[in-house]
Amino acid sequence: MEKTGLCMYCGLGCRLTYVFERGQLRKTRPLKQDPVSLGAPCIKGLTLHEVVGKGRIKRPLIRKSPWRPPREASWTEALDLVAEWLKDADPYEVAIVASGKTSNEDVYSLVKLARGVLGTPNIDNCCGRLCHAPTILVLKHIYGIPASPGYLDDINKLDLLILAGTNPASNYPVMFNRIMWARKRHGLKIITIDPVKSETARYSDYPLAVRPGSELVVFNYFAKVIIENRAYPDHIEQIPGFREYTEAIRHFDLEVASQISGVDRSLLAKAAEAIISAKSVGVANGMGLTQHSNSVESLYAFYNLALLLDAKVVTGRGEINVQGAGDMGALPDSLPTGAMETYMDLSKLWDLPVEPIKGLTITEAFFHEPMSIYMLSAMNPAHSMPAIDIVAKRLENAFTIQMESYYNETSEYSTVILPTPLLIERDGTITTGERRVRSIGRPLEPAASLRREWIIAKKIAERLGYGDKFSYETTWSITREYTTVVPAYRDVSPIALEKGEDQWADKTIKRRRFRPPVFRGLDAERTRGYPWILTSFRSSHHFLSNEATSKSQTLSKFPEKPFLYMNPNDIKCLGLREGDKIRLCTRHACKELPVAASTKVPRGMLGVYWHFKEVEYNKLVPIQFETRTMTPQYKNVPARLEINGKVLYPCR
Ligand SMILES: Nc1nc2c(c(=O)[nH]1)N[C@H]1C(S)=C(S)[C@@H](COP(=O)(O)OP(=O)(O)OC[C@H]3O[C@@H](n4cnc5c(=O)[nH]c(N)nc54)[C@H](O)[C@@H]3O)O[C@H]1N2
Ligand SMILES: Nc1nc2c(c(=O)[nH]1)N[C@H]1C(S)=C(S)[C@@H](COP(=O)(O)OP(=O)(O)OC[C@H]3O[C@@H](n4cnc5c(=O)[nH]c(N)nc54)[C@H](O)[C@@H]3O)O[C@H]1N2
Ligand code: SF4
Ligand SMILES: [Mo]
């Protein structure tokens, strides 16, 4: 038997064919007619059958005291306990985190529980906060839309693509297929801005290996060349802020750009030449730009450049439903109905009192104002947040409720664990990074002992006396509700979705406005005490904290390892050998790791695949954020290397 259904990983959101034999999932195959994958999904999707059944949490678990193993409990006991705690808690000491790995309906229900029933404004979503919050802020300011306005298929028509701190060859393979086809068909040129020689940078015509955190100067230099050559459409001059922008970028000449970014002058000049001669340009950014404390200004520089070029914005979004999670209102500074000012509308629609109060981001709720209750949906903060030693303490000291499919690092600190189905065991909808709304299709049946977030929210609301506000019988009744409540989804047809047809949430650009960026210098620099720069990147064979992908035999065979990757020349000149254990220290912590060689990593830098538990990369990441979005600086971390007590400096 065959069934079709979505993948459960990245924000491209491919539809796949699931093949069953005697009721067991045996294979996952491409689906030729899928307009997203175009019949060529990636290896993670194609190995889903190897991961779904292994190591799952089957029953609710309750831990009576920290460090004691949890015991199994009934759903009634677990939910009674959770409801009891929530009822007595100060709503400002509760943080609820929804997940881009669940459906729109599940996220929406948690937002309604938080804002409508509990009165807590501290509602956020994990992937949105830890990855593209700065991008969304800047897209909202420049284009008036909290989403990527372009389409994947735009790539087919581009002749130049600027990829800044993103690695689609690894992380968005189906997008990368389109890039490669355009390159083969009509010679699409690629500029990459990445200090690391990533899988994507290997195909780049202009690989700009910038000094981490210096990207802004390169974007401003490009803008200066474009303006000096008048290589922009006439109508651009009418866009508000144009004059101020031209003034702001005036000083960023080739000399400045090359000196600050460390990129060779002639390569920079050639890239600028390619930009001014291209007819149709596309841009995309990723974590290499956002996970910095100066990310918002870099992103203003990047999207001002995009505006100047009238470029297509094809930036991807991380997890399969991170776009939907934000759209459903799982953000502390907006509501499902939109800006905070719409709270009266929402109160009427829900018939619940909603206060126009800005809540805490998940990062603030861990590092600035510890909570007494954390309620986490499909998230693993004890692996994925910075300074995980502090995160662990917060979780341990609080009443932590996890809604999870796999027992992960965070589970060690949870008081109650509520077992949930995986995305592919759910019906309902997600919204991809393109803002394409898709039915998940529930290719797999969940075990009877699992409950998803909307059911959990409903059961809690019933216990707190709000059952009538959660009178949903099916997932689709929530789809019908959110398509009337969330303005960007008012043209989305729940009937079409239920039939399996794709829909589009609003993608129209609402305005165009230049926002001149301010250069405040690099966000971190080498010092004598910390002479190396440490960064983290992703592997195409592992997903986030690797809970699911580590269960696949096929994916585990690939060569990426929990090592500290260094340039082979650095290894040689320091007299090290691969496999040598080395002490790696940042200003936050130290960790011993085996060394491995990789030509990906430039000299003087260190790289780690943060997926692996053994690396505990985020133990090393200090508490440093972009202050408007509270997105952590995972990428540019000054570090020191020691062996037998001796400090190792980068070779000259
Ligand atoms: N050092 C460093 N840290 C980072 C980043 C980085 O680049 N460097 N990136 C950050 C980013 S962009 C993000 S989004 C966060 C992510 O961080 P988290 O949101 O914490 O994601 P995971 O770490 O994978 O934890 C997700 C949990 O979801 C569970 N899960 C439940 N259902 C599903 C499902 O249907 N599908 C999948 N895949 N999992 C499910 C899995 O069991 C897993 O334990 O990490 C951030 N942390
Ligand atoms: N296989 C796989 N696919 C994924 C994921 C996964 O874990 N595995 N995660 C999904 C999620 S949640 C997200 S958010 C996306 C993220 O996808 P991307 O945005 O591509 O994220 P990363 O690979 O973390 O970083 C992108 C690039 O930034 C570079 N970089 C590192 N430091 C710097 C710097 O200082 N400056 C610049 N300019 N570049 C730098 C890295 O070398 C890397 O090539 O991927 C999604 N897809
Ligand atoms: S991980 Fe992304 S690209 Fe790969 S199959 Fe799944 S949705 Fe498609
Ligand atoms: Mo992400």
Side-chain angles (χ1 to χ4, degrees):
M1 191 191 60
E2 292 190 354
K3 263 184 168 180
T4 63
L6 297 190
C7 177
M8 66 174 200
Y9 296 119
C10 90
L12 295 168
C14 302
R15 197 177 291 287
L16 307 164
T17 308
Y18 290 81
V19 185
F20 296 82
E21 280 168 25
R22 285 184 293 277
Q24 293 293 310
L25 177 64
R26 287 279 176 248
K27 267 204 161 55
T28 336
R29 289 215 185 104
L31 178 68
K32 274 221 172 61
Q33 315 83 295
D34 177 36
V36 174
S37 68
L38 302 173
C42 81
I43 189 162
K44 293 189 300 302
L46 296 176
T47 47
L48 272 168
H49 58 285
E50 297 178 16
V51 314
V52 288
K54 294 183 195 148
R56 297 285 298 275
I57 312 171
K58 298 209 173 85
R59 313 228 166 273
L61 300 171
I62 294 179
R63 178 178 273 114
K64 273 277 179 271
S65 54
W67 301 111
R68 298 273 299 276
R71 64 166 172 83
E72 285 192 359
S74 68
W75 272 100
T76 308
E77 185 190 359
L79 287 170
D80 283 349
L81 183 64
V82 167
E84 196 63 29
W85 271 77
L86 287 172
K87 189 169 88 211
D88 295 338
D90 174 344
Y92 295 94
E93 287 193 13
V94 178
I96 301 192
V97 191
S99 173
K101 303 163 203 90
T102 68
S103 72
N104 285 331
E105 293 75 9
D106 291 300
V107 174
Y108 179 84
S109 308
L110 288 178
V111 176
K112 191 167 177 179
L113 180 73
R115 290 252 179 211
V117 173
L118 303 173
T120 176
N122 308 326
I123 169 87
D124 204 355
N125 77 89
C126 48
C127 179
R129 185 62 46 205
L130 304 180
C131 48
H132 271 297
T135 311
I136 293 303
L137 178 107
V138 168
L139 289 175
K140 258 190 349 201
H141 284 171
I142 292 188
Y143 297 101
I145 168 176
S148 212
Y151 295 86
L152 272 177
D153 287 342
D154 287 340
I155 295 169
N156 307 339
K157 291 164 252 150
L158 300 176
D159 30 73
L160 179 78
L161 180 57
I162 309 176
L163 297 170
T166 182
N167 184 8
S170 159
N171 306 332
Y172 301 115
V174 155
M175 173 181 178
F176 192 66
N177 290 345
R178 283 173 174 73
I179 298 173
M180 286 293 104
W181 291 328
R183 188 180 158 90
K184 207 164 155 198
R185 236 180 273 136
H186 63 264
L188 165 78
K189 293 274 184 287
I190 305 167
I191 298 177
T192 50
I193 292 136
D194 194 327
V196 169
K197 195 162 186 187
S198 70
E199 291 75 2
T200 306
R202 287 176 202 278
Y203 291 91
S204 172
D205 302 279
Y206 308 95
L208 310 182
V210 295
R211 192 170 282 144
S214 72
E215 296 79 3
L216 177 148
V217 297
V218 173
F219 305 144
N220 281 2
Y221 158 66
F222 288 156
K224 182 178 164 72
V225 175
I226 295 161
I227 288 169
E228 281 172 357
N229 287 275
R230 262 199 136 275
Y232 55 84
D234 287 342
H235 67 89
I236 298 294
E237 290 187 2
Q238 311 309 320
I239 296 177
F242 179 77
R243 288 280 149 243
E244 293 83 344
Y245 178 49
T246 51
E247 186 57 27
I249 51 107
R250 200 158 51 93
H251 303 294
F252 292 85
D253 59 19
L254 183 57
E255 191 57 41
V256 169
S258 167
Q259 260 197 14
I260 298 178
S261 71
V263 180
D264 176 66
R265 286 169 58 111
S266 75
L267 183 58
L268 273 177
K270 279 188 200 144
E273 189 56 44
I275 295 177
I276 57 173
S277 48
K279 286 201 186 61
S280 110
V281 180
V283 302
N285 78 274
M287 302 302 96
L289 277 202
T290 62
Q291 293 175 340
H292 284 268
S293 47
N294 65 4
S295 62
V296 168
E297 294 304 328
S298 298
L299 284 157
Y300 278 137
F302 190 57
Y303 285 104
N304 279 329
L305 177 67
L307 203 51
L308 185 64
L309 289 164
D310 209 7
K312 298 283 183 201
V313 177
V314 293
T315 296
R317 296 289 316 266
E319 298 172 348
I320 188 154
N321 194 31
V322 59
Q323 181 64 44
D327 291 346
M328 295 301 119
L331 294 169
D333 55 356
S334 64
L335 301 173
T337 34
M340 220 41 103
E341 295 77 47
T342 62
Y343 74 102
M344 290 294 277
D345 303 338
L346 188 59
S347 304
K348 272 193 215 121
L349 286 162
W350 280 352
D351 190 21
L352 285 166
V354 176
E355 300 289 340
I357 293 172
K358 187 170 175 287
L360 299 175
T361 59
I362 171 71
T363 29
E364 287 164 314
F366 274 111
F367 299 111
H368 292 178
E369 282 185 47
M371 300 283 112
S372 57
I373 300 185
Y374 293 99
M375 187 170 182
L376 310 168
S377 158
M379 185 193 187
N380 189 7
H383 182 130
S384 61
M385 298 275 290
I388 47 180
D389 51 331
I390 295 174
V391 171
K393 281 267 166 298
R394 300 284 188 259
L395 294 167
E396 196 181 338
N397 293 338
F399 184 87
T400 298
I401 306 154
Q402 251 192 316
M403 295 172 275
E404 245 309 330
S405 304
Y406 294 105
Y407 194 92
N408 58 25
E409 290 98 316
T410 303
S411 312
E412 293 294 332
Y413 309 98
S414 296
T415 324
V416 179
I417 305 176
L418 305 174
T420 51
L422 292 167
L423 185 83
I424 52 182
E425 297 164 336
R426 300 176 190 222
D427 60 0
T429 61
I430 59 100
T431 308
T432 72
E434 273 185 292
R435 253 192 176 179
R436 185 192 278 269
V437 191
R438 312 199 90 180
S439 158
I440 303 161
R442 192 165 57 199
L444 300 180
E445 283 306 314
S449 60
L450 310 178
R451 305 272 184 281
R452 59 194 291 184
E453 281 76 352
W454 78 253
I455 307 257
I456 295 171
K458 177 182 160 96
K459 299 278 174 206
I460 294 171
E462 282 168 0
R463 281 167 169 77
L464 300 180
Y466 291 87
D468 58 324
K469 305 293 187 287
F470 278 74
S471 58
Y472 312 119
E473 290 302 326
T474 65
T475 310
W476 296 106
S477 53
I478 309 175
T479 323
R480 286 192 284 279
E481 182 171 315
Y482 86 65
T483 50
T484 60
V485 169
V486 182
Y489 287 70
R490 294 220 175 111
D491 290 338
V492 166
S493 157
I495 298 166
L497 284 169
E498 207 171 340
K499 282 197 231 146
E501 292 165 23
D502 288 356
Q503 297 283 291
W504 291 95
D506 185 16
K507 280 182 73 80
T508 43
I509 290 177
K510 301 287 178 305
R511 63 156 176 260
R512 288 184 167 81
R513 184 169 75 187
F514 284 103
R515 287 285 293 238
V518 181
F519 183 51
R520 299 202 171 95
L522 304 189
D523 46 19
E525 291 192 66
R526 300 165 198 273
T527 58
R528 186 145 176 84
Y530 297 91
W532 298 83
I533 291 294
L534 172 67
T535 197
S536 60
F537 35 62
R538 287 166 155 77
S539 146
S540 52
H541 309 113
H542 301 281
F543 197 78
L544 301 180
S545 65
N546 209 13
E547 218 48 66
T549 35
S550 64
K551 313 261 181 323
S552 156
Q553 285 162 346
T554 308
L555 296 177
S556 305
K557 285 189 193 132
F558 285 91
E560 298 88 357
K561 291 276 172 315
F563 290 167
L564 176 67
Y565 285 91
M566 295 176 75
N567 186 282
N569 291 323
D570 278 343
I571 293 192
K572 200 166 146 206
C573 94
L574 292 170
L576 297 169
R577 274 177 316 199
E578 285 202 72
D580 279 356
K581 289 266 177 77
I582 195 161
R583 197 170 140 87
L584 165 66
C585 294
T586 64
R587 290 193 176 91
H588 191 73
C590 294
K591 168 92 195 161
E592 196 156 275
L593 282 174
V595 167
S598 169
T599 50
K600 247 178 107 150
V601 184
R603 296 197 70 170
M605 270 183 82
L606 309 165
V608 161
Y609 292 104
W610 68 277
H611 311 289
F612 299 108
K613 291 185 189 353
E614 304 88 317
V615 178
E616 293 183 304
Y617 177 84
N618 285 328
K619 195 175 169 185
L620 299 164
V621 177
I623 307 175
Q624 196 178 349
F625 304 104
E626 194 294 309
T627 49
R628 278 165 280 189
T629 55
M630 297 305 289
T631 297
Q633 174 150 339
Y634 291 113
K635 290 292 194 243
N636 184 9
V637 182
R640 183 171 70 231
L641 290 181
E642 292 171 8
I643 202 158
N644 302 325
K646 191 172 145 249
V647 178
L648 302 180
Y649 290 95
C651 305
R652 294 246 165 223

